[in-house]
Amino acid sequence: MPSFSATTGGDAGGPSPAPAPARGRSVGPVVAQRVQFDRPLPLACGRVLTHYELAYETYGTLDAERSNAVLVCHALNASHHVAGHYAGDPENVGWWDNMVGPGKPLDTDRFFVVGVNNLGSCFGSTGPLTVDPATGKPWGADFPLVTVEDWVDAQARLADHLGIERFAAVMGGSLGGMQALCWAIRYPQRIGNALVIAAAPNLSAQNIAFNEVARQAILTDPDFHGGHFEAAGTKPRRGLRVARMIGHITYLSDEQMEEKFGRELREGLKFSFAPEFQIESYLRYQGEKFAEYYDANTYLRITKALDYFDPAQATGGDLKQALAPARCRFLVVAFTTDWRFSPARSREIVQALVDNDREVAYAEIVAPHGHDAFLLDDPQYLAVVSAYFERIAEQRGGR
Amino acid sequence: MPSFSATTGGDAGGPSPAPAPARGRSVGPVVAQRVQFDRPLPLACGRVLTHYELAYETYGTLDAERSNAVLVCHALNASHHVAGHYAGDPENVGWWDNMVGPGKPLDTDRFFVVGVNNLGSCFGSTGPLTVDPATGKPWGADFPLVTVEDWVDAQARLADHLGIERFAAVMGGSLGGMQALCWAIRYPQRIGNALVIAAAPNLSAQNIAFNEVARQAILTDPDFHGGHFEAAGTKPRRGLRVARMIGHITYLSDEQMEEKFGRELREGLKFSFAPEFQIESYLRYQGEKFAEYYDANTYLRITKALDYFDPAQATGGDLKQALAPARCRFLVVAFTTDWRFSPARSREIVQALVDNDREVAYAEIVAPHGHDAFLLDDPQYLAVVSAYFERIAEQRGGR
């Protein structure tokens, strides 16, 4: 029977599903930090955030030249808590702890790593749960719809605050990879390398369709109250459950789901709507858990940011032209069984970079885990990322 | 812009999405019939239906030897209305009208075709909307969970009623194909040919997962009232909408969705949760329409029948052994872009039949439309079915 206590992934969130990696150590206890910005941030939607806070964490030490900083961008439901654990809460391990730490692929003995929570999230940065200073009440449904470009602009201001003129690398998986790609286009002088993992140049119609069904589940939940559910003293748990169940199916490969669950029953057929197959229990459990800790207004906004991301929109669909401003080196990684953002989508990015004569390494990892593979301990994958950072370290040494 | 008035498929239901086929004619105006059975029907769940009615239609003429009858089984949301139209309602065309009619692949000039609505449906046969004679109230949530085997048993009694000892063929797509497969195993002496189209020997974990999310959307809709929504004077429209949207994504291929909708916008970005992309409008429209005409208790039961279907369960997972009782000839058809029931699943059936030395023809149709292809006018597909029925007609002539 599959174990539900050691939860598998989801999209860049929750506890690490795989055992602790053999190599490297934990960064140990970490402390989340916050910074308030009073310079207004114009958003793509036309609105302006006059004040906002970003929650972030850092691991490792910024060198004297301020040249070893790496920004890690998160995906749908993760946060600034990338590695290590909070003091007194050893179970609360960062979502990419297998990737980031002393001796790990992103080695905090060499690099100064920054994890940041994005605007609109529900984990610390300004978002729907935050009190709007203009009204004295939580933003809730009135929080603007934010885009990948908005996030990257805010991250650039965090870099300013930290005294980082240029990142050695910006890195992310899934939606995080889209942020790395956006950095390369939007701030070409401020990024030395982009690691774009399990991402796509934009969402397909099918990707948008899955997001839209998830949103409809939330928007039509009577407990959603047009997004003002806090004021109504309730929470759209039903919608969040269904949304997460849909999402979760797309994070796992068909093959992996078959291998883990197949048609295995819990206790034989009951001829009822109680969970009968293991896969039903598993999905319900994932849905329940998510509905407890996640904010519905955030979910709606993050799926919209995904739908909107499309750097080639401004160039009439020409991705080569869209990526022309990029100056950095690239590592693009895709996973063979990822059907959410298939290798073919990563290859579109690679082709557009090659057409621009950019330096790009591409790894297509044979892995059974689907989209969630980017969070897991695939040795080949971790070796590729490790080698790439090794090269970055050498480049820095050689400058 | 895609047209929404000419709706595409769904799973074996709704108006035919493709233009009228070039070949053949309509069977013209048809009349639905009903028959009541008073002999109790034992169900797989252990319960017994003491009385029940089946709605059916027939096209063509049963020959003197009663040897030219073909049973057409329906999938998720279709019915006994397979071909022709109802008098006075020319728009209400049968769901497989491109397949069945004079001069069509299943030629009603040669074959006597029977369409039947399954138990538990909401289109005429006894189901949740029917008044339970024991209580004088609609069955609603108290209607039993029925299985493919139960449906086939009821269909066999309809055959008895019509004086059909043996079908020249039993035919269906998707869940309908599973019924044809079940006929071959359960009533080997009563079926000459099984046409198993766009089907699978059972549902995968991913298939079950999608069904379960759809069910959860319905079961957790506050208007569901534990299935007694009729008594509460309401209807779980929200849940049905979301369920249909999820299902619809799995009926279309990624490629087809990309070609039809891509990232096309309706009127530019609005930075709101109103439909912005064409694919969003399309899915919402499909969901709305479905929620109007479909019964939630039926939806729950039909998805469960899909989940439960697994002839090899009784033989410890050995599909060869499960199919050993079959005596008929087979045509198995799969579509290259069907990711709901992929060609690989059809090939499992073919392999098990070959291993049993059964006569089986297999066609893997290169078609862009995904699972819905079985309802559409692909010339190669229709030619394969046509040729197969030609052979059946010759076999009959040669007996």
Side-chain angles (χ1 to χ4, degrees), chain B residues 229-252:
Chain B
F229 47 87
E230 292 272 351
T234 181
K235 198 177 168 180
R237 281 194 180 81
R238 287 177 289 251
L240 277 167
R241 281 179 76 238
V242 168
R244 181 56 164 182
M245 291 170 80
I246 296 167
H248 209 88
I249 297 174
T250 69
Y251 305 149
L252 303 183

Side-chain angles (χ1 to χ4, degrees), chain A residues 129 141 218 223-236 295-297:
Chain A
L129 298 183
I218 292 170
D223 285 336
F224 182 64
H225 294 281
H228 299 287
F229 47 87
E230 292 272 351
T234 179
K235 199 176 169 180
D295 173 59
N297 285 314

Side-chain angles (χ1 to χ4, degrees), chain A residues 290-315:
Chain A
F290 187 71
E292 281 309 308
Y293 76 80
Y294 210 79
D295 173 59
N297 285 314
T298 291
Y299 194 89
L300 294 173
R301 278 154 184 75
I302 295 194
T303 58
K304 271 294 184 186
L306 273 161
D307 290 3
Y308 289 157
F309 181 71
D310 188 14
Q313 199 197 9
T315 55

Side-chain angles (χ1 to χ4, degrees), chain A residues 202-206 212 215-216 220 238 241 258 262-263 271-272 276 280 284 304 307-308 310, chain B residues 202-205 212 215-216 220 238 241 258 262-263 271-272 276 280 284 304 307-308 310 339:
Chain A
N202 61 26
L203 262 58
S204 69
Q206 191 190 65
E212 170 64 3
R215 281 192 296 266
Q216 285 297 310
T220 64
R238 286 176 289 250
R241 281 178 76 239
E258 199 59 27
R263 297 182 50 83
F271 292 97
S272 80
E276 295 179 290
E280 296 177 295
R284 289 193 197 187
K304 271 294 184 186
D307 290 3
Y308 289 157
D310 188 14
Chain B
N202 59 28
L203 262 58
S204 69
E212 170 64 2
R215 280 193 297 266
Q216 285 298 310
T220 63
R238 287 177 289 251
R241 281 179 76 238
E258 199 59 26
R263 297 181 52 82
F271 292 97
S272 80
E276 296 179 290
E280 294 177 297
R284 289 192 198 187
K304 270 294 184 186
D307 290 2
Y308 289 157
D310 188 13
W339 62 282

